[in-house]
């Protein structure tokens, strides 16, 4: 598995990260430990979790695995997150010093470690001053509780503001952003990806298979059923399947992924994952497997390097919609005319 720089830090991580959102809810502890074993045997060294995954149980499962395998634990880069409610009180959420101090200490305890390698703010907090959050994170780095920090689900202006506030105050700066990113969801390319590139931050894409759509789990105009995430949750299936099914772009992308997969003799999931891994600024793609079989198939993407022609086919069919202004060609030409004194 390829090693890449962990954002703008000096640490290196593998190009595929193991996500553990299903641990403790959809995947029991014994299977979760086997999945982590399989991932490590495949050469991976990066595991991602969060305090809200299964209400803390995911962190506990990862922590018990780390304790039982001290030699592997020394090599693994462990990431977790804080921000969302873990209690019913008014200060049990957000990015305040009060909540983050409690959340970080609880995550350290559940994981059974003295230091978390990457601590991520799970989402923006419009209530807490950014200075309060960043000062807490800088203090946590100085105290040795975290090695690095990053963000998840931030907008481009939020990333840029945080980076510049940290630099202006000579505080530790963020190293990564964890956004949703896949062939079906490319809107982060408008401003979020450029903001991260400007700051030297790496991307850790979640949902690289679009909730299973890009793995070929769903069919046009056929409501999900059986052992799929939407099929096992009829209410969610009704809400989520219809809008995406109605978009012709969805099926054009899925068909192109399937076409390239057939030409190569690999799975559709491997093609979709290889595309994300090859995108600019991507440090590691997060694999969210519920079973060992899913992980084995996903890890097959390690051996898939798409050609320039294949990337162009996928880029073309999945190109995100561009409004005329300010992103489209017409918007660009309008700006140029304005700068030249025209109208």
């Amino acid at each position: 598995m390829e090693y890449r720089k962990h954002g703008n830090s000096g640490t290196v991580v593998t190009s595929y990260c193991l996500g553990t959102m299903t641990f403790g809810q959809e995947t029991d502890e014994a299977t979760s430990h086997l999945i982590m074993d399989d991932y490590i045997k495949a050469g991976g060294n990066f595991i991602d979790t969060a305090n809200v995954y299964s209400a803390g149980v995911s962190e506990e499962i990862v922590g018990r695995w780390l304790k039982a395998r001290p030699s592997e634990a020394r090599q693994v880069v462990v990431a977790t997150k804080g921000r969302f409610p873990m209690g019913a009180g008014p200060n049990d959420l957000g990015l305040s010093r009060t909540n983050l101090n409690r959340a970080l200490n609880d995550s350290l305890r559940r994981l059974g470690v003295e230091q978390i390698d990457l601590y991520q703010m799970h989402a923006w907090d419009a209530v807490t001053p950014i200075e309060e959050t960043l000062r807490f994170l800088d203090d946590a780095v100085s105290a040795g509780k975290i090695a690095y920090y990053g963000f998840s689900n931030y907008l481009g202006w939020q990333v840029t503001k945080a980076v510049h506030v940290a630099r202006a105050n000579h505080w530790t700066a963020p190293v990564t952003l964890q956004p949703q990113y896949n062939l079906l969801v490319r809107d982060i390319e408008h401003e979020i990806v450029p903001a991260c590139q400007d700051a030297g931050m790496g991307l850790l894409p979640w949902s690289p298979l679009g909730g299973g759509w890009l793995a070929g789990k769903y069919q046009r105009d056929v409501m999900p059923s059986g052992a799929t995430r939407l099929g096992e949750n009829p209410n969610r299936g009704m809400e989520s399947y219809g809008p995406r099914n109605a978009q012709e772009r969805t099926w054009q992308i899925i068909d192109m992924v399937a076409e390239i997969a057939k030409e190569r003799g690999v799975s559709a999931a491997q093609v979709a994952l290889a595309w994300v891994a090859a995108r600019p600024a991507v440090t590691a793609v997060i694999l969210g497997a519920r079973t060992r079989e899913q992980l084995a198939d996903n890890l097959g993407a390690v051996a898939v390097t798409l050609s320039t022609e294949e990337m162009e086919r996928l880029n073309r069919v999945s190109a995100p919609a561009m409004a005329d202004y300010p992103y489209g060609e017409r918007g660009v030409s309008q700006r140029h005319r304005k700068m030249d004194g025209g109208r």
Side-chain angles (χ1 to χ4, degrees):
M1 203 178 296
E2 178 188 358
Y3 285 104
R4 299 179 178 181
K5 279 192 65 179
H6 188 210
N8 51 22
S9 78
T11 297
V12 295
V13 294
T14 45
S15 54
Y16 288 93
C17 170
L18 179 63
T20 66
M21 187 174 69
T22 64
F23 289 7
Q25 186 171 359
E26 299 174 78
T27 308
D28 63 31
E29 181 159 350
T31 304
S32 298
H33 283 193
L34 291 173
I35 286 174
M36 286 186 278
D37 287 340
D38 292 345
Y39 171 73
I40 296 301
K41 289 175 183 176
N45 81 332
F46 191 13
I47 295 177
D48 177 76
T49 186
N51 61 350
V52 292
Y53 293 170
S54 303
V57 176
S58 176
E59 285 185 327
E60 292 173 347
I61 289 174
V62 172
R64 286 189 283 270
W65 181 87
L66 292 170
K67 183 178 181 179
R69 295 158 178 79
S71 59
E72 288 87 347
R74 291 187 59 189
Q75 305 301 322
V76 173
V77 174
V78 177
T80 192
K81 312 175 193 72
R83 193 270 190 231
F84 293 121
M86 290 293 286
N91 290 309
D92 287 331
L93 77 163
L95 301 182
S96 68
R97 178 177 288 272
T98 299
N99 183 55
L100 286 180
N101 185 60
R102 183 187 301 116
L104 175 56
N105 287 333
D106 287 346
S107 287
L108 287 165
R109 174 180 52 78
R110 284 189 289 263
L111 288 165
V113 297
E114 295 182 355
Q115 183 183 77
I116 289 168
D117 300 303
L118 176 66
Y119 193 52
Q120 300 161 102
M121 306 301 94
H122 213 153
W124 178 259
D125 179 358
V127 175
T128 303
I130 187 66
E131 291 84 359
E132 180 177 340
T133 302
L134 296 177
R135 181 58 190 270
F136 170 82
L137 293 167
D138 184 68
D139 289 345
V141 171
S142 297
K145 291 185 175 183
I146 63 175
Y148 307 106
Y149 74 89
F151 305 129
S152 182
N153 305 309
Y154 273 42
L155 300 178
W157 73 266
Q158 294 166 348
V159 168
T160 299
K161 179 173 183 177
V163 168
H164 283 276
V165 168
R167 289 176 178 172
N169 287 281
H170 305 289
W171 296 333
T172 305
V175 299
T176 55
L177 174 73
Q178 188 175 141
Q180 180 179 188
Y181 192 26
N182 56 61
L183 279 160
L184 295 169
V185 181
R186 291 182 57 187
D187 294 304
I188 69 167
E189 294 174 12
H190 295 329
E191 293 200 18
I192 297 173
V193 173
C196 288
Q197 289 176 307
D198 180 64
M201 294 168 61
L203 296 175
L204 307 176
W206 60 266
S207 193
L209 296 178
W213 285 78
L214 294 166
K217 289 184 177 181
Y218 308 115
Q219 300 177 35
R220 188 191 295 259
D221 300 326
V222 178
M223 279 299 298
S225 62
T228 63
R229 187 156 290 167
L230 298 185
E232 292 171 350
N233 188 337
N235 291 331
R236 183 179 179 189
M238 289 291 290
E239 295 173 358
S240 302
Y241 178 80
R244 184 164 277 179
N245 171 66
Q247 298 179 34
E248 184 60 28
R249 174 178 176 270
T250 297
W251 299 105
Q252 290 175 350
I253 295 169
I254 290 172
D255 289 346
M256 181 60 71
V257 170
E259 181 180 310
I260 293 174
K262 184 177 180 180
E263 293 169 358
R264 281 182 158 266
V266 300
S267 72
Q270 291 167 8
V271 170
L273 291 169
W275 178 86
V276 180
R279 296 299 293 166
V282 170
T283 290
V285 180
I286 298 176
L287 305 177
R290 295 191 291 169
T291 67
R292 297 178 72 187
E293 291 74 21
Q294 286 180 342
L295 178 64
D297 181 64
N298 290 348
L299 287 173
V302 172
V304 178
T305 301
L306 298 174
S307 68
T308 300
E309 186 268 341
E310 289 168 331
M311 288 292 291
E312 289 176 351
R313 287 159 66 186
L314 291 168
N315 290 343
R316 188 165 52 249
V317 76
S318 66
M322 279 281 193
D324 280 345
Y325 184 86
Y327 301 113
E329 291 184 6
R330 183 179 174 187
V332 172
S333 64
Q334 287 174 344
R335 292 200 301 277
H336 287 169
R337 286 198 301 273
K338 285 288 187 182
M339 286 185 276
D340 290 339
R343 294 186 177 219

